[in-house]
Amino acid sequence: MKIGFIGLGRMGSGMAQRLLAANFELAVFDPDVKQSARLAEAGAEVASSLAHLASMCDVVISMLPSDEVLLSATNDAGGLVANLRPGAIHMVSGTHGVKALTEVIAAHQSAGQILVACHVLGRPDLAASGKLGLVPGGPKAAIDSLRPVFAVIGERVFEAGENPLSATAIKIANNFVLGCAIEAIGEGHALVRKYDVDPHVFHQVLVGGLFNCTAYHAYGDLIAHNDWGRLGASAVIGLKDANLSLEAATPVGVQLPSVAIWKKALESAIAKGEANLDWSVMAREQFRASGLE
């Protein structure tokens, strides 16, 4: 099985490095040649174009930043649908909306190709160490064929079933809940700081008892240290997640009033020039509103 990889940002590069370390035959393509060059040094074949990559691979994994980029990579004349062979698999690992995924699924089906949504849970450091959570959804035979890949890039697999959109719904809902958690942690920190509490003590109270899990450890630590530059997902990506939550909820009649709170906080932080800081800056907005900055 020859694997292609597109989207070599920090998360994608970590995943690709894991595949190379496990001796998978890997080809890569990224418009940023510096990204491709780093993988070439580790043993990856560098494709001359996306069409070239698609034509020589059995599986193409995409970790792309937006719906627009995914749709272009899928549907353009030099893209995946036009150049993957029938029966080849496109494994979508980026975070995308249900509307975009529906279009991509249909495009691949019309060409006799297979789409598997395999969204990832975790920050880029977990990608580099192979400790991501994975949420795959798609035809069972395709999922089974990808299990060796899952074993290398993740340590927990949560199978969503044969509908790729089920995996997408889980990813979007997970990010929605995480966004609400970050907002709540920020509000809690703002309250205790007003009473001269050492924020690191409050952080230990949360992660040592109420919230003893990876997400609360990681984001609580960022907030306790005001370490907005320790980037996992940027404020822009967090705002994308807020909008994807609303996009998924509206057509099925689900109300998500909590998302409006952290969406507003992220928009405010971005307006202050903090688009490329970690999305935990929504907590910084709470500190500002509380007179702590």
Side-chain angles (χ1 to χ4, degrees), residues 14 18 124-132 152-153 155:
R18 292 287 304 174
D125 57 320
L126 297 183
S129 60
K131 295 182 179 180
L132 292 169
V152 169
I153 63 175
E155 68 174 3

Side-chain angles (χ1 to χ4, degrees), residues 210-222:
L210 186 61
F211 298 138
N212 189 13
C213 68
T214 301
Y216 289 111
H217 275 275
Y219 286 102
D221 188 59
L222 294 183

